Amino acid sequence: MLIYEQSRSGRRATAQAPLTRAAVCAIPDRFRRKKAAALPEVSELQTVRHYTRLSQKNFSIDTQFYPLGSCTMKYNPRGAHAFASLPEFLGRHPLAPESGSQGFLACLYDLQQMLKQITGMQAVSLTPSAGAQGEFAGVAMIRAYHEANNDDARQEILVPDAAHGTNPASAVMCGYKVREIATGPDGDMDIDALKAALGPQTAGIMLTNPSTVGVFEQKIRKIADLTHKAGGLLYYDGANLNAILGKVRPGDMGFDVIHINLHKTFATPHGGGGPGSGPVGVSKRLEPFLPIPLVGKDESSYRWLNEEERPLSIGRMSAFAGNAGILLRAYIYAMMLGREGIVRVADYATLNANYMLKRLQEAGFEAAYPERRASHEFIITLKKQAKAHGISTMDIAKRLLDYGVHAPTTYFPLLVPECLLIEPTETETRQELDRFIEAMIAIRNEVEHTPDLVKDAPHTLPVKRLDDVRAARELDLRWQPEE
Amino acid sequence: MPFIPHTEEETQQMLETIGVSDIEALFDEIPPALRCGLLKEIPEGLSEMEIGQLMAARAKQDGQATCFIGAGAYDHHIPAAVWQIAGRGEFYTAYTPYQAEASQGTLQLLYEFQSMMTALTGMDISNASLYDGASALAEAVLMAVRANRQSKSRRILLPRSLHPTYRKVVKALVGNQGLELIELPFNPESGRTDLSALEPFTGEDIAALVIPQPNFFGVLEEVDQLTNWAHENKALAVGVVNPVACSILTPPGEWGEKGADICCGDGQPLGAPLSSGGPYFGFLCCRDKLVRQMPGRIIGRTVDKEGETGYTLTLQAREQHIRRSKATSNICTNQGLMAAVATIHMALLGAEGLERVALACHANTQQLSEKLAAIKGVEKVFSGETFHETVLKLPASSKAVLRALANHQLLGGNDLSDDYPELGNALLVCATEKRTDAEIERYASKLARILSGADDVLCQLHPKD
C-alpha cells in the first residue's frame, strides 16, 4: 500500500513543523500557489511504520550476502557513519569560512594524500559526486590537455568492448567519438586491434584493470606504451580498484588519470543507488586541469584552492565540494585500515573470489576464463544449462533470491553469453561463500529435475517475477488521485 | 584484521582448495616489476575508538556557529524520524535496485518520491534523483537541447540572477558539447530579470530559457512573463526551484499560459543536513512528452506474474548500461538515499508542514532584513519581493565584516563582492525557521557594533580588503 493510500484529509504529524503559521507574508498573490501540493497527510507513526515495513522488503549488505560483480558490496563500517555524523560535521555550512573549518578540511586533505599514495598519482581532486562524474572529469581533463597543446585532431576515445556502459557515455558527454576495441580469447585486450585503432585521432583509452571480465590485464605496460606513443592518454576506471589495493598502482601501470569509487573500494554505503563519490587522480601533466575545489595546505592551515589558483581547471562538478559526508566516511575507513589493512583488502577479496571460482568449477560450473586467475571477481557462464534446459541466467539469478542471496551481476559483460559476474568481497566469511556454492548446486539440480521451479522464481519474496515489458509500455510513474 | 573475518585455519583451508601455498601466489599474473610494496606514507591503522577521538577533536575544532548563510544550502529542522528510518541498514546498505523482486522497499519508496516531487512542482514526471541541483541543471539544459525539435541553435539563456556556481557547473558539464550559454542581465533596482533583457533575443532561435525561482538573490522572478516569452519564441522554459519554496509559490507546472517544460533544483532543503555541501540530491521533472529524454533512473509501477502490484526500474533503454554511447546521460549511481530522506521528510511534514516551514523562513528573513537595514549604513539592495534570502549592502568590506562576525560564532551570510562586484560590499543573508528572535537580535547587535567601530576588529575594515 502506498503512503498516499493511508492519507486522510486534515491529518497531520504536527510536531515536525513550526506550531503556528507565520502571520506576516510579504509575497504578493501573483507569486503564490493556488492549491496545496498533493502530498500525503499522515501521522508520524504511520510514516515510521510504512517506511520501516518498506525497508524490510529490501535485500541489503546488512541482511544478505550481496555478491554483485563490479559493485564491491562490502560491509559498510558503522564507525564511519557515526563519526561522519558528528553534529559539527552535519551542521557545517559548505560556505563556512576556512578559519572555522580546519578540522573538516584536514580530513579532506589527508584523504587526498592517502588516495595519491594508493593510486600512485601526482594529485587528487575529491569533488566528483560518483564514478560516472569522475569519468566525465577524467575525460574532460584529457580533452583540456590536448586543447592546451593545440592538438585538435584528437577526437576519438577507445574503450574495450567489455567496458562499463558509463565509459562510452562519459566520452560522448565530453564531445568525443567512441571506438570499441575487441577483447582476446584469454580476456586480455587484443593488441593488434589496439594497434589498428591508434592514430593521430586518438585522444585516449579508457580501461579497467583488473578488467571487467575479472582478470588482470597482463599487457598493460604494452598498452600504455603504444597509446602514449600514438599521443593518447590512458584513463583508469577505478571500479575494480579493490582487487589491487596496495599491490599495484594505476600510476605505476602508466595511467594518466583515474577515478576511484569510494562507495565500492572505501566501504561507503550504496544507499539503494547512491550517493557515491568518485575522486579523480592525475599524473603530472594533467594536474593543472583537475576539477575544483581542491584542498591545499599552507604550513599548518588548510584552505580551498579555487579558480584563482587553478586557472586551467576544467571547472566545478557540483555547487559545493561534492559528497563531503561520503568523503569523511571514506577517510575514517582508510584510517582504520592503515597501511597494512589496505593491502589485506586486496589479499582477502582475491582469496574469496578464487576460492569460490575453484569450488564452483569443481562442482561442474563453467568458468568463462578457466586458464586465468580470478581477481576480486570472476565470471561463470551458464550457457550449457541454458541450452539443455531452456533456463536463462536471469531465472537462476531470481532463484538465488529464494535462497536468501542477492544475485550476482547478470548479462555483464555482454561478450560472455549467459554470464554471472560474481564478487564476494573480503568481508564475507568462508561459511557465507559455501552457502552460495551450495545454493548454486541445489539450483542446478532443480534446473535438471524441476525446471519450472526455477523459471517461475522467485517464490518467497514480497512479489513474484515482475512484468518489465508492461512497466515500459504502460507507463505508470506516479500516484494520482482517482478521478 | 579490521573487517576481515577469516581465521588463520580457514585461510589455510581455502588456499589448499585453490591449490596455492599462500595468498601472494594469487597475484602471480601481475608483472612483478609493477608491484608497489608497502605504502609507507599511509599511517598505521587506528582502532574505532582512536579514529573516533580524532574525529571528535576535529569536529570540536570547527565548532557550531549560528548560520545565516543560504546560497543554495539551508539550515532547516530535520525531523528525528527521517534519518532513523533512512539510516536503517536495509535502505542504507542496499545497491541500485537491479533485482526488483529483492528491492521492493527502495523501488516503492522511489515511486512515492516521484509522486511527491511531481505534486510539489506541478509537473508530470520526476526521475529518481541526480547528484545535486547544479549538475541537475546541466542535465536539464542538455535535455532541453535534445527535446526542442524546433530549435537548431543549441543556445541557452541563463540569467545572471541564477546562482553563480550553478552557471559555472553548467559551463563545465555541457561546454564540450557545443552549447552556447548566454547570460542575461538583471534589473539593478528590482534584482529580477526583466523582459527587456530578453528583447534582443525575441524572434531568435533559442533552445531554452532558464528561470530560477526564487533567484540567487532571494528575489521572486516574474515567472509567468518569462515562461510565456520562452514559449512565444519556441524555446523551452526550464525552471530552477527550491522545493520548500514550491510549497507556497506557484509551481513550475503552472507558470504562464502553458507551464514550464522542465524543472530542476537541489533537494537539500528536504531533510539533508548542511554537511559541508553533500550528499544532497538533484531533482529533475518534466512534461509527459519529454519522458524519453529524461536522464537517470525512473521507477514504474507494474504487476507481477500473479497480477499483484510491484515496482521496477523502467525506460532503461535511455540509460548508459543499455544504450552506452547513445544514452541520455552517463549517470549511473545517483543519490538514492537522499531521495529516501526527502520522501520520509515530505511524508512527515505534508503540504501544510512544508508551507509552515516556508512561511517561517520568509518571516524570519523579513525580520532579519528589517533589523539589519535599520543599522546606519546598511541598506537593502533590491526592491523585488523575496522568499527567504535577501541582499544587503554594507558600508565596509563585506569580507572583513564576515570575519569579524565569525569571531562571534556568527556566519553572517555569503559575500557577493567577487561574483557581483557591481553590487559593492554586498551580503546575501538567510534566516531559516531555525533562527530564533534572540539569534537575529544578536546578529543585529554584533553587526551594529562592528560597523560602529566599537568592535576591536575596526582596524581590519578596509573597504578594499
Side-chain angles (χ1 to χ4, degrees):
Chain A
M1 189 192 268
L2 290 166
I3 189 91
Y4 275 98
E5 291 157 345
Q6 301 167 44
S7 173
R8 289 296 177 274
S9 179
R11 190 180 283 153
R12 310 252 184 277
T14 31
Q16 280 71 30
L19 291 177
T20 55
R21 285 174 75 94
V24 186
C25 178
I27 300 174
D29 272 354
R30 71 177 188 285
F31 295 113
R32 293 293 300 273
R33 187 172 188 127
K34 304 292 179 290
K35 190 163 170 260
L39 297 181
E41 297 178 77
V42 288
S43 71
E44 179 170 357
L45 172 59
Q46 282 181 300
T47 307
V48 168
R49 192 175 284 161
H50 176 70
Y51 291 107
T52 301
R53 284 186 180 168
L54 279 191
S55 78
Q56 292 168 333
K57 296 184 180 183
N58 268 2
F59 277 31
S60 66
I61 306 176
D62 279 4
T63 49
Q64 275 92 5
F65 181 37
Y66 216 122
L68 201 58
S70 199
C71 300
T72 312
M73 295 294 282
K74 62 170 81 174
Y75 172 63
N76 308 142
R78 283 299 184 277
H81 181 58
F83 307 139
S85 304
L86 291 170
E88 293 87 346
F89 292 132
L90 291 186
R92 184 185 169 278
H93 193 284
L95 301 173
E98 288 161 354
S99 58
S101 309
Q102 291 295 302
F104 167 71
L105 290 171
C107 296
L108 262 52
Y109 183 84
D110 289 350
L111 179 61
Q112 282 178 189
Q113 295 300 107
M114 282 197 277
L115 294 179
K116 270 160 60 174
Q117 284 293 316
I118 287 167
T119 59
M121 306 308 283
Q122 286 295 315
V124 165
S125 166
L126 301 173
T127 172
S129 298
Q133 204 179 52
E135 288 181 24
F136 172 89
V139 179
M141 285 190 272
I142 291 176
R143 191 177 181 103
Y145 171 80
H146 291 311
E147 282 175 2
N149 292 332
N150 295 315
D151 196 350
D152 298 333
R154 301 193 178 275
Q155 290 300 327
E156 202 171 83
I157 290 279
L158 307 179
V159 298
D161 54 3
H164 297 119
T166 47
N167 290 181
S170 298
V172 167
M173 286 196 86
C174 290
Y176 280 122
K177 292 195 199 69
V178 175
R179 184 158 169 180
E180 289 199 345
I181 308 290
T183 302
D186 62 350
D188 281 354
M189 180 175 279
D190 179 338
I191 294 288
D192 289 333
L194 173 67
K195 281 181 184 162
L198 285 167
Q201 78 289 355
T202 306
I205 184 168
M206 300 179 82
L207 292 172
T208 313
N209 197 15
S211 71
T212 53
V213 303
V215 300
F216 190 84
E217 173 61 67
Q218 299 171 89
K219 290 173 280 197
I220 183 61
R221 279 307 314 196
K222 176 95 182 157
I223 294 168
D225 289 346
L226 287 169
T227 306
H228 283 146
K229 266 195 201 115
L233 300 183
L234 278 87
Y235 183 92
Y236 182 90
D237 175 337
N240 292 346
L241 189 66
N242 211 53
I244 57 165
L245 221 47
K247 295 283 177 188
V248 52
R249 307 189 301 172
D252 300 333
M253 293 184 225
F255 285 95
D256 298 284
V257 50
I258 121 167
H259 86 260
I260 305 148
N261 297 90
L262 296 182
H263 50 294
K264 297 180 182 179
T265 313
F266 287 82
T268 70
H270 284 76
S277 181
V280 282
V282 290
S283 61
K284 195 83 197 156
R285 56 181 156 184
L286 289 182
E287 186 173 353
F289 308 109
L290 276 171
I292 47 177
L294 307 172
V295 181
K297 186 180 182 186
D298 304 323
E299 301 193 4
S300 62
S301 70
Y302 302 92
R303 65 192 181 90
W304 294 111
L305 303 180
N306 290 320
E307 284 82 357
E308 305 79 60
E309 288 93 345
R310 316 287 301 188
L312 296 177
S313 167
I314 58 161
R316 292 175 183 271
M317 306 286 106
S318 57
F320 301 108
N323 283 328
I326 302 302
L327 299 173
L328 290 179
R329 285 169 175 76
Y331 169 68
I332 294 162
Y333 172 71
M335 289 294 282
M336 283 194 275
L337 290 185
R339 64 172 80 113
E340 278 159 2
I342 278 170
V343 192
R344 276 197 298 258
V345 167
D347 281 338
Y348 287 86
T350 305
L351 177 70
N352 276 359
N354 280 281
Y355 173 76
M356 284 181 86
L357 171 61
K358 183 71 179 204
R359 283 217 50 202
L360 284 167
Q361 282 180 297
E362 283 176 357
F365 287 95
E366 186 181 349
Y369 297 97
E371 306 302 317
R372 300 294 302 270
R373 212 49 104 191
S375 60
H376 65 315
E377 62 187 359
F378 61 94
I379 301 174
I380 61 169
T381 170
L382 301 167
K383 59 177 189 247
K384 271 194 300 200
Q385 287 81 0
K387 204 171 168 198
H389 304 282
I391 295 273
S392 72
T393 297
M394 191 55 83
D395 296 330
I396 291 173
K398 297 296 183 195
R399 185 64 181 145
L400 272 168
L401 304 176
D402 283 330
Y403 281 83
V405 202
H406 195 280
T409 297
T410 52
Y411 299 103
F412 178 84
L414 291 165
L415 63 110
V416 183
E418 298 295 331
C419 68
L420 286 176
L421 178 62
I422 303 170
E423 179 181 3
T425 83
E426 73 279 8
T427 57
E428 296 296 335
T429 61
R430 179 189 165 180
Q431 293 74 39
E432 203 67 64
L433 310 182
D434 288 341
R435 264 196 288 278
F436 177 88
I437 289 151
E438 283 148 22
M440 285 295 289
I441 294 168
I443 293 169
R444 194 183 45 196
N445 279 333
E446 293 170 357
V447 166
E448 286 162 13
H449 300 108
T450 51
D452 286 348
L453 191 62
V454 180
K455 283 182 196 168
D456 290 342
H459 301 278
T460 58
L461 273 78
V463 290
K464 303 284 190 287
R465 192 92 59 103
L466 288 163
D467 188 344
D468 288 328
V469 175
R470 174 179 159 141
R473 209 176 44 215
E474 297 170 33
L475 287 178
D476 174 356
L477 309 180
R478 66 177 162 128
W479 175 86
Q480 295 181 69
E482 283 177 24
E483 295 292 316
Chain B
M1 294 186 290
F3 316 119
I4 294 173
H6 301 60
T7 67
E8 201 48 50
E9 192 188 1
E10 283 171 335
T11 302
Q12 282 313 319
Q13 289 166 349
M14 291 168 79
L15 289 168
E16 275 166 37
T17 301
I18 299 168
V20 294
S21 57
D22 56 15
I23 289 178
E24 201 46 51
L26 299 173
F27 294 89
D28 57 2
E29 289 189 6
I30 301 178
L34 290 179
R35 293 292 300 273
C36 61
L38 190 67
L39 302 171
K40 295 198 189 70
E41 289 171 55
I42 307 266
E44 299 266 8
L46 300 181
S47 68
E48 188 183 277
M49 182 187 77
E50 289 168 325
I51 185 68
Q53 287 164 341
L54 174 66
M55 295 304 283
R58 285 184 169 176
K60 197 170 164 215
Q61 188 184 354
D62 290 354
Q64 286 176 286
T66 308
C67 184
F68 290 96
I69 315 179
Y74 302 97
D75 186 17
H76 292 296
H77 172 69
I78 302 168
V82 169
W83 278 90
Q84 290 209 359
I85 304 302
R88 285 178 63 93
E90 298 93 328
F91 286 133
Y92 187 77
T93 75
Y95 197 71
T96 301
Y98 291 131
Q99 291 292 345
E101 297 83 1
S103 313
Q104 285 297 299
T106 290
L107 286 163
Q108 183 181 329
L109 183 147
L110 290 174
Y111 178 87
E112 293 180 359
F113 168 79
Q114 292 171 186
S115 305
M116 292 183 198
M117 291 312 296
T118 52
L120 202 52
T121 59
M123 306 297 281
D124 302 321
I125 308 284
S126 168
N127 76 1
S129 83
L130 298 169
Y131 305 130
D132 80 329
S135 60
L137 176 58
E139 292 281 14
V141 161
L142 290 170
M143 182 179 166
V145 168
R146 287 194 300 272
N148 190 343
R149 304 258 156 83
Q150 292 181 286
S151 168
K152 299 202 165 45
S153 72
R154 300 173 85 81
R155 293 164 92 193
I156 306 289
L157 300 179
L158 289 178
R160 281 196 81 231
S161 66
L162 176 71
H163 197 306
T165 316
Y166 278 41
R167 283 182 276 135
K168 290 176 189 168
V169 171
V170 170
K171 185 163 172 265
L173 297 181
V174 312
N176 290 322
Q177 295 191 56
L179 272 63
E180 188 186 348
L181 306 173
I182 301 169
E183 296 205 338
L184 300 172
F186 56 86
N187 180 323
E189 297 286 317
S190 66
R192 56 172 65 113
T193 312
D194 291 338
L195 278 182
S196 62
L198 290 162
E199 202 50 50
F201 305 99
T202 302
E204 297 276 312
D205 182 356
I206 299 292
L209 168 66
V210 173
I211 307 170
Q213 183 73 328
N215 70 23
F216 180 63
F217 306 128
V219 173
L220 300 174
E221 298 276 3
E222 298 287 357
V223 290
D224 296 331
Q225 292 178 16
L226 296 172
T227 304
N228 289 341
W229 183 91
H231 290 149
E232 282 156 18
N233 288 277
K234 295 177 181 163
L236 297 191
V238 177
V240 183
V241 295
N242 175 317
V244 168
C246 268
S247 70
I248 60 166
L249 301 180
T250 310
E254 294 171 19
W255 291 355
E257 297 290 321
K258 293 187 198 159
D261 303 283
I262 299 172
C263 85
C264 63
D266 200 305
Q268 180 273 334
L270 300 174
L274 288 169
S275 184
S276 295
Y280 300 166
F281 71 93
F283 59 88
L284 185 58
C285 301
C286 69
R287 294 297 183 191
D288 274 327
K289 63 182 179 199
L290 302 185
V291 65
R292 280 164 215 282
Q293 297 302 334
M294 181 74 100
R297 314 277 186 213
I298 299 176
I299 283 68
R301 181 158 61 173
T302 185
V303 293
D304 70 7
K305 54 193 296 231
E306 293 179 355
E308 296 296 320
T309 298
Y311 303 85
T312 186
L313 291 168
T314 195
L315 295 179
Q316 295 191 71
R318 301 163 298 109
E319 293 191 66
Q320 48 75 30
H321 61 287
I322 307 287
R323 194 57 67 81
R324 300 176 76 84
S325 64
K326 305 255 184 333
T328 52
S329 168
N330 68 339
I331 193 166
C332 180
T333 289
N334 55 25
Q335 305 278 119
L337 188 71
M338 309 313 292
V341 161
T343 308
I344 301 167
H345 189 86
M346 285 188 277
L348 281 169
L349 286 175
E352 167 68 19
L354 280 181
E355 281 177 38
R356 287 184 184 213
V357 171
L359 291 169
C361 294
H362 171 72
N364 275 352
T365 303
Q366 292 285 111
Q367 190 197 347
L368 174 72
S369 166
E370 278 161 31
K371 289 247 156 72
L372 299 184
I375 298 166
K376 192 170 168 237
V378 179
E379 303 166 25
K380 259 191 85 174
V381 173
F382 298 121
S383 61
E385 294 88 352
T386 55
F387 169 51
H388 72 350
E389 285 179 275
T390 192
V391 179
L392 298 170
K393 194 169 171 180
L394 303 180
S397 158
S398 39
K399 286 192 173 73
V401 169
L402 287 180
R403 273 203 300 273
L405 287 167
N407 290 338
H408 297 288
Q409 291 297 300
L410 287 167
L411 303 184
N414 184 36
D415 167 41
L416 300 186
S417 59
D418 292 332
D419 288 310
Y420 298 95
E422 69 271 35
L423 299 179
N425 283 307
L427 273 191
L428 179 67
V429 297
C430 173
T432 64
E433 85 283 10
K434 278 176 76 175
R435 296 290 74 82
T436 62
D437 291 350
E439 287 170 334
I440 291 170
E441 195 56 57
R442 194 166 95 84
Y443 183 6
S445 74
K446 291 294 174 198
L447 181 64
R449 195 178 153 82
I450 288 164
L451 292 174
S452 73
D455 204 270
D456 56 4
V457 295
L458 174 65
C459 55
Q460 297 172 19
L461 297 184
H462 300 300
K464 278 187 188 165
D465 185 88

